[in-house]
Amino acid sequence: MMSPQKEASLELAVIGNCQVSALVDEFGRMVWACMPRFDSNPVFCALLMPDQQQVERGIFEVVLEDFVRAEQSYVTNTPILETLLYDAHGGCVKIVDFAPRFEHFERMFHPFMFVRHVEPVTGNPRITVRLRPAGGYGSEDPRQTFGSNHVRYVLPDLTLRLTTDASLTHVREERPFRLTRPVSFILGPDESLRESVAHSSRQHFEETRAYWQEWVRGLAVPFEWQEAVIRAAITLKLCAFEDTGAIIAAVTSSIPEAPGSSRNWDYRYCWLRDSFFVVHALNRLGATRTMEAYLGWILNVAASSDGDGLQPVYGIGGEADLTETIVGQLAGYRGMGPVRVGNQAFEQVQNDVYGAVVLASAQVFFDRRLIGSAGKEQLALLEDIGQRAFELFDKPDAGIWEYRGRARVHTFSSMMCWAGCDRLARISAHLGDQQRADLWRSRADHIHAEICAQAWNEEQGCFMESFGGTTLDASMLLIGDLGFVASDDPRFRRTVECLEKHLRRGKHMFRYGEPDDFGEPETAFNICTFWYINALAEIGRKDEARELFEEMLSCRTRLGLLSEDYDVRNGQLWGNFPQTYSLVGIILGAIRLSQPWEDAF
């Protein structure tokens, strides 16, 4: 029996538990999953193989004989996935996939484990189970051993155990069989289950469902677009690595930003800038625990820097060295390599990170809901970071878009340094230290004046990409959100109008228009379109903003997710998936544009 799809697609569902995540395609096949944590070897890596019908390893699938169609949905307000497979004879199979997450023994139970439950719905379906984990980024098959109801897959750096109440012969030999009763597959650590497979599967499902639905109940969602916001929030939560508090930019590596562009990067790491945006979005929904955990991570990272300054990106365990290599054994998404592991951006200078850390930390000083509200000791740690922001605001760097071939004094980096100093002034005043507040206010005012003098181009009517520069940058759409200018400042309106004239393509925004290290950009950057939408609302063009917001929601996958990039020529999603930046855009856009609850009924 052949798999049903030839070409890889980003019509993918994400499941996870803040320890591991998996991507499941529309036919119920696990095509990407790194174990035992987000940045580990992908034991399932078929997503980065060109021929989806002839996958030799790196996949977990249930193949239905005489398959004709599939349906897929999430269990309401959870990341638990249900896939229905139909055959040509009226038979139907339901597959339920999830990663367990719930409180157990007064702590969170979230092992590197996936549970797959398969049951007949109608007819007499015949299935084949293919479980083929891979080692060495798709290059190695595991050695197998087995017992009465389990199979061990011994990989070079990990041993997985599959425990099941299905026939081991059918599973190990990939033999077709009639599915006459429900069967469960629990894939995780090389440990014995304390209960039966059926009981464990059922209990894990019920408790995981209860956990997520209770978590969603605590969200302060806007009145409109609730389903879109809830799905985005759940997915952002899944990108937080609970063991350390780090937040990854995306689950995948090396999905090209545009077809054949070689703009293939590994996003399974924690960018300080991206994490600020995630923390900000979840805070707006009232989900503050991610912020608290992330602050613990970033303060540990800062303490380990030994005065060398902050990198733009670290490993999820705080690892500083993310040396980039190319994996030759994986051909890449749709055969479009290279596949990269690691990210050389760790070596770059990106001065906006100092402001990003302060901005991510600011709420903890003001939010009385938090038991451990920050005080002067924590402020002192942030002031060290703010000092770097003040020293570096007018120094060249690689910028928000991580140019690999040049350095400039990027205006966005300078504005983030200003924002860091501005927030330190506000925090100091809140804590009653007026002397420190005055110091940081004077520094913020100095940076502000320099940016206005060096980056504002009166002829263009726009804040430019860099000091004294002549090129445009969509990140200038954030000057209102950052508080750098007021929404009624004519410079804000003129900047928005200039950027839409030069960077808008149809209903979408590009990051910039000039060629970079890889040529001219070919795809729109989804978060930039959301920044544009928010900016339109700020300057009073709310009806246009709502129309474009609906357009962006229509660009999501069937299950409500977004990648990094969008091809305006054919409507295809590109770039790593699911992308936290893009999901942040959904949340913040809905909050800004929604009808208020008090006016709704």
Side-chain angles (χ1 to χ4, degrees):
M1 289 186 287
M2 300 292 288
S3 297
Q5 179 180 336
K6 293 182 179 180
E7 189 173 61
S9 164
L10 292 185
E11 278 291 350
L12 302 168
V14 61
I15 62 173
N17 63 1
C18 304
Q19 173 70 32
V20 288
S21 292
L23 296 178
V24 182
D25 73 10
E26 56 192 308
F27 306 106
R29 304 180 304 182
M30 288 191 190
V31 295
W32 182 262
C34 300
M35 300 177 81
R37 65 183 211 175
F38 295 145
D39 58 353
S40 301
N41 167 74
V43 295
F44 303 130
C45 51
L47 181 64
L48 299 185
M49 297 179 180
D51 189 341
Q52 296 290 287
Q53 284 193 328
Q54 301 293 337
V55 176
E56 295 182 3
R57 61 178 69 93
I59 197 166
F60 186 7
E61 61 181 333
V62 176
V63 182
L64 177 63
E65 193 172 274
D66 297 327
F67 167 85
V68 292
R69 67 184 179 91
E71 298 175 2
Q72 204 167 54
S73 62
Y74 281 113
V75 174
T76 302
N77 293 350
T78 77
I80 301 172
L81 182 69
E82 292 186 347
T83 306
L84 295 175
L85 304 179
Y86 295 87
D87 65 25
H89 315 292
C92 178
V93 171
K94 180 165 77 170
I95 305 170
V96 179
D97 289 316
F98 64 96
R101 179 177 174 83
F102 50 86
E103 289 191 12
H104 185 60
F105 296 140
E106 298 183 354
R107 59 184 175 84
M108 192 59 66
F109 178 71
H110 56 108
F112 65 94
M113 175 185 290
F114 298 112
V115 178
R116 167 161 279 187
H117 181 77
V118 186
E119 62 181 71
V121 178
T122 59
N124 297 290
R126 280 172 54 86
I127 65 170
T128 301
V129 176
R130 290 178 176 161
L131 175 53
R132 301 176 178 180
Y137 283 83
S139 66
E140 301 179 43
D141 292 314
R143 180 173 58 88
Q144 291 188 25
T145 65
F146 62 96
S148 58
N149 67 345
H150 75 268
V151 184
R152 297 173 70 246
Y153 299 90
V154 183
L155 295 163
D157 53 0
L158 177 69
T159 298
L160 294 172
R161 178 184 291 237
L162 173 73
T163 308
T164 182
D165 49 5
S167 163
L168 280 191
T169 299
H170 291 154
V171 174
R172 293 185 62 244
E173 300 180 8
E174 297 184 358
R175 293 184 179 274
F177 63 95
R178 282 185 59 219
L179 185 66
T180 59
R181 61 178 178 84
V183 292
S184 295
F185 304 87
I186 299 179
L187 181 68
D190 187 20
E191 301 169 357
S192 299
L193 294 180
R194 296 182 179 180
E195 307 285 351
S196 70
V197 178
H199 176 83
S200 295
S201 174
R202 182 172 59 254
Q203 181 187 40
H204 287 2
F205 171 83
E206 292 173 352
E207 296 200 37
T208 298
R209 179 181 59 186
Y211 166 82
W212 283 107
Q213 291 180 342
E214 186 64 24
W215 185 81
V216 168
R217 285 186 64 184
L219 297 179
V221 298
F223 177 72
E224 295 180 89
W225 304 296
Q226 292 183 43
E227 290 186 8
V229 169
I230 288 169
R231 182 54 48 201
I234 289 173
T235 308
L236 288 183
K237 174 72 171 175
L238 294 180
C239 291
F241 185 58
E242 186 157 306
D243 186 57
T244 64
I247 302 167
I248 58 173
V251 171
T252 58
S253 172
S254 303
I255 307 298
E257 293 181 9
S261 66
S262 296
R263 298 173 187 265
N264 303 11
W265 314 114
D266 191 348
Y267 276 15
R268 300 172 299 158
Y269 308 112
C270 185
W271 271 260
L272 306 190
R273 173 179 51 252
D274 300 43
S275 298
F276 154 64
F277 283 105
V278 172
V279 164
H280 177 56
L282 290 177
N283 284 352
R284 293 292 303 275
L285 295 174
T288 57
R289 290 188 183 277
T290 299
M291 171 187 64
E292 294 179 87
Y294 172 69
L295 294 183
W297 179 84
I298 188 56
L299 291 176
N300 283 331
V301 165
S304 302
S305 65
D306 296 326
D308 294 332
L310 293 176
Q311 298 175 187
V313 56
Y314 293 85
I316 59 177
E319 300 87 354
D321 188 347
L322 302 178
T323 299
E324 189 173 285
T325 58
I326 291 177
V327 177
Q329 55 268 31
L330 287 174
Y333 179 76
R334 299 187 183 179
M336 299 176 187
V339 173
R340 291 184 170 95
V341 176
N343 199 299
Q344 216 62 35
F346 83 93
E347 291 184 326
Q348 290 187 344
V349 173
Q350 296 179 28
N351 294 328
D352 66 295
V353 299
Y354 300 100
V357 171
V358 176
L359 288 174
S361 309
Q363 182 166 330
V364 74
F365 289 90
F366 298 91
D367 196 332
R368 297 299 298 272
R369 294 171 299 173
L370 307 180
I371 301 301
S373 296
K376 292 187 177 181
E377 182 178 344
Q378 289 77 16
L379 173 59
L381 296 174
L382 283 188
E383 285 191 302
D384 290 339
I385 295 170
Q387 179 65 34
R388 298 285 291 185
F390 181 66
E391 293 169 354
L392 297 171
F393 83 91
D394 58 353
K395 302 298 186 293
D397 71 351
I400 182 176
W401 307 126
E402 301 186 340
Y403 294 107
R404 295 195 170 199
R406 64 167 174 78
R408 297 173 181 171
V409 181
H410 288 97
T411 307
F412 176 79
S413 296
S414 299
M415 285 187 177
M416 289 292 283
C417 290
W418 166 83
C421 294
D422 174 78
R423 286 2 176 233
L424 285 170
R426 300 187 196 192
I427 293 168
S428 298
H430 177 71
L431 296 179
D433 191 336
Q434 194 57 46
Q435 183 178 4
R436 303 302 295 174
D438 291 342
L439 171 67
W440 288 111
R441 177 55 55 209
S442 67
R443 289 178 170 182
D445 290 346
H446 173 71
I447 297 174
H448 196 284
E450 284 296 305
I451 293 172
C452 292
Q454 299 292 335
W456 174 255
N457 184 310
E458 181 62 31
E459 182 179 350
Q460 289 265 29
C462 188
F463 282 99
M464 307 307 289
E465 174 245 24
S466 56
F467 281 19
T470 58
T471 57
L472 300 173
D473 179 352
S475 67
M476 292 299 96
L477 292 165
L478 289 171
I479 59 177
D481 273 347
L482 290 175
F484 187 82
V485 296
S487 59
D488 59 356
D489 189 316
R491 293 173 298 178
F492 184 26
R493 176 183 52 79
R494 292 179 67 188
T495 295
V496 174
E497 292 170 351
C498 180
L499 292 173
E500 72 182 346
K501 177 181 177 181
H502 294 283
L503 297 182
R504 179 171 170 173
R505 306 288 188 273
K507 297 181 178 180
H508 301 266
M509 292 292 288
F510 277 51
R511 288 176 286 183
Y512 44 85
E514 67 170 347
D516 58 19
D517 313 298
F518 294 84
E520 292 189 6
E522 301 174 57
T523 51
F525 205 69
N526 288 326
I527 187 58
C528 294
T529 306
F530 284 116
W531 291 344
Y532 174 56
I533 289 168
N534 286 339
L536 288 179
E538 284 187 86
I539 63 174
R541 295 163 59 182
K542 191 169 183 178
D543 289 343
E544 292 177 69
R546 288 178 63 92
E547 179 184 346
L548 290 176
F549 186 71
E550 292 283 3
E551 169 67 20
M552 284 303 297
L553 293 184
S554 74
C555 297
R556 297 173 301 157
T557 64
R558 293 172 298 102
L559 294 174
L561 303 178
L562 275 174
S563 65
E564 181 182 59
D565 306 276
Y566 182 82
D567 193 331
V568 297
R569 298 165 297 190
N570 55 29
Q572 289 190 353
L573 292 173
W574 289 90
N576 281 311
F577 181 92
Q579 168 73 348
T580 54
Y581 255 157
S582 302
L583 300 171
V584 165
I586 293 173
I587 292 171
L588 297 181
I591 291 173
R592 182 178 296 277
L593 297 172
S594 175
Q595 178 184 15
W597 276 93
E598 55 267 27
D599 297 340
F601 51 85

